[in-house]
Structures are given as structure tokens and as C-alpha cells.
Amino acid sequence: MSGTAAPVTAAVLVIGDEILSGRTKDRNIGYIAEYLTAIGVDVREVRVVPDIEEEIVAAINALRERYTYLFTTGGIGPTHDDITADSVAKAFGVSIDIDPRARAMLLEYIKPEDLNEARLRMARIPAGAELVPNPVSKAPGFWIGNVIVMAGVPTIMQAMLDQVAPKLRTGVRMLSETVRADAREGDVGGPLGAIAKANPEVSIGSYPFMADDGRPNTNLVLRGRDPDKLAAAVAQVREMVEGLRKPA
């Protein structure tokens, strides 16, 4: 892993009818975004697509062209609707077949007599792809070009992400500071906008919440890569917040 001055970007593509139907609640997007942000990779886009090959292929080709990395989750299991590997192969224009390396990994977890046709689907890997080890249940993900294909099961996805993270190119890590406004979002909107305009290299967001005393409150979150510019913007926000707290 090496840091660069230029931003390193990523997209997340979630694949699966079960996510779109609401049957399965996604637990991967937030984890991936937080994980990548912490190491200096900016997640810029997230898409969710059904188990339809042409839609998966179109999304893969659009996102891999636009961002440094594309991470996919879901669709690499043993059932008929697990078509992510085939879709990735089609997107890259390469063949796909049972990979001896992947088959050997499966045999670390599955008895030879239980390695049926369905389970062998998990060993089908696009030509030229690097395997992503799966310490949890052995069935690997894979990495081809700038596309990293991971399982949809959160524990397995997290283990796979740990495997690929050290190999990622990373940028300067995004720093973050939170200031509690002790005011409603509408009370800080005007002055906060002025501070944001004066500090273009710092991202400033306001996030309302209900405080323990039942009153509306707001957290002001500032994010930036330059610690000095971030500190200057935080100082301005704190000064603004203190001014609101003083009696008229």
C-alpha cells in the first residue's frame, strides 16, 4: 500500500435481487466505505443491480472506467443465480472456467465426494484473474484489472477486503472533525454556508439528530486532507457555534 497525492477513488457494486427486494438488508456498503476512507481511498459511487447479466456487465464497464477501483459484492455462490463471475468475464471479454487454484482452495473446506457441480461453480474464475483468498469458507473471490469481486456474506466479504487492502494504491487519508452545534440545523445553515465557501478544500456537512433531552441538535462534520486547512475551518465553525450560544 502506498500513498499518492492524487485522489484514489472507488465504486461499490452490490449485486443481488435479494437486496433490491428488501429480503436481505445490505451490511456491506457502509463497512467498505468506512474501511476504504480510513486507508485513503474515496468511495464516490454505489450501485445496486439485480441478477441480470446485461445489467451487471453494463454497470461493471461503466464503473471500472470511471474510478480507480471497483468493488463488487454478491453473486459468487453455488446457485444458478450466482452469475457475477460470468458477468465479469463477459465485461472483460475473457473466458471463464474452473480454476485449479480455486478448486484446491475449495477442497481445503469441502470433502472431495461433496464437491458437486453446484459447489464447483465457486471455482469458476475469469481467465487472467488473481484469486482473493477467503479465510472463512475458502471459496475465493478474484481481482481482474481494477475490479475486485467479493462475497456478499458480510463476514466473508470483510475477510476478503482484509486480504486485498495491503495491495491497494491509496491516496492521502481523509481527516475528519466533528463539532456539536447545540443548535438546530436551520440556525447554522446560513453562517455554515459562508464558512464552506471560504474553505473550498474542506468538505462541511450538517447532520441533525435528536439530543438526549429531546431537543433537536446538529453535528457539523468537517473533512479534508490538509490538516492545517482543516484546523482553520474547524476553528471558524467553533467560533460560529460559540457566537450562536451567546445571549443576544
Side-chain angles (χ1 to χ4, degrees):
M1 186 188 301
S2 59
T4 65
V8 177
T9 60
V12 179
L13 179 63
V14 179
I15 300 166
D17 292 340
E18 68 278 10
I19 300 295
L20 291 167
S21 71
R23 176 180 289 274
T24 299
K25 307 297 185 286
D26 179 82
R27 291 165 49 200
N28 292 327
I29 294 171
Y31 184 93
I32 294 170
E34 186 174 10
Y35 191 112
L36 294 180
T37 297
I39 63 174
V41 178
D42 295 348
V43 174
R44 297 281 180 86
E45 187 172 347
V46 173
R47 293 193 195 183
V48 183
V49 295
D51 297 310
I52 299 174
E53 185 180 81
E54 56 264 33
E55 295 199 27
I56 300 170
V57 171
I60 289 169
N61 281 332
L63 296 170
R64 72 185 178 100
E65 290 294 326
R66 192 172 299 159
Y67 303 106
T68 312
Y69 296 110
L70 168 61
F71 296 82
T72 80
T73 67
I76 58 172
T79 60
H80 71 282
D81 58 349
D82 288 312
I83 59 172
T84 296
D86 292 272
S87 301
V88 173
K90 187 170 184 178
F92 278 86
V94 300
S95 62
I96 181 170
D97 206 342
I98 294 173
D99 187 303
R101 301 169 299 168
R103 188 178 186 277
M105 288 178 176
L106 290 178
L107 287 172
E108 295 177 23
Y109 190 77
I110 300 168
K111 294 178 181 179
E113 60 269 26
D114 292 333
L115 193 56
N116 57 24
E117 185 176 346
R119 293 189 176 99
L120 270 173
R121 285 178 56 82
M122 296 186 291
R124 297 176 71 252
I125 305 293
E130 176 185 347
L131 299 186
V132 174
N134 167 8
V136 178
S137 61
K138 298 303 178 180
F142 58 89
W143 182 338
I144 181 169
N146 64 338
V147 179
I148 297 160
V149 177
M150 303 184 294
V153 178
T155 53
I156 300 176
M157 184 283 296
Q158 291 167 21
M160 288 181 172
L161 192 55
D162 285 339
Q163 295 291 318
V164 301
K167 302 177 182 179
L168 297 175
R169 182 163 62 88
T170 59
V172 178
R173 191 169 67 87
M174 184 70 74
L175 306 174
S176 178
E177 290 280 351
T178 299
V179 178
R180 178 169 166 147
D182 287 328
R184 293 172 296 183
E185 190 175 32
D187 296 329
V188 299
L192 193 66
I195 294 172
K197 187 176 181 179
N199 297 271
E201 293 188 42
V202 177
S203 170
I204 304 177
S206 62
Y207 302 91
F209 68 97
M210 199 63 69
D212 293 340
D213 61 6
R215 297 180 182 180
N217 208 319
T218 312
N219 278 327
L220 308 177
V221 180
L222 297 86
R223 302 171 72 239
R225 289 186 167 83
D226 186 309
D228 294 332
K229 291 178 180 178
L230 178 63
V234 168
Q236 293 171 40
V237 168
R238 292 191 188 280
E239 183 179 3
M240 179 268 290
V241 167
E242 288 300 321
L244 291 175
R245 291 171 182 166
K246 292 178 182 178

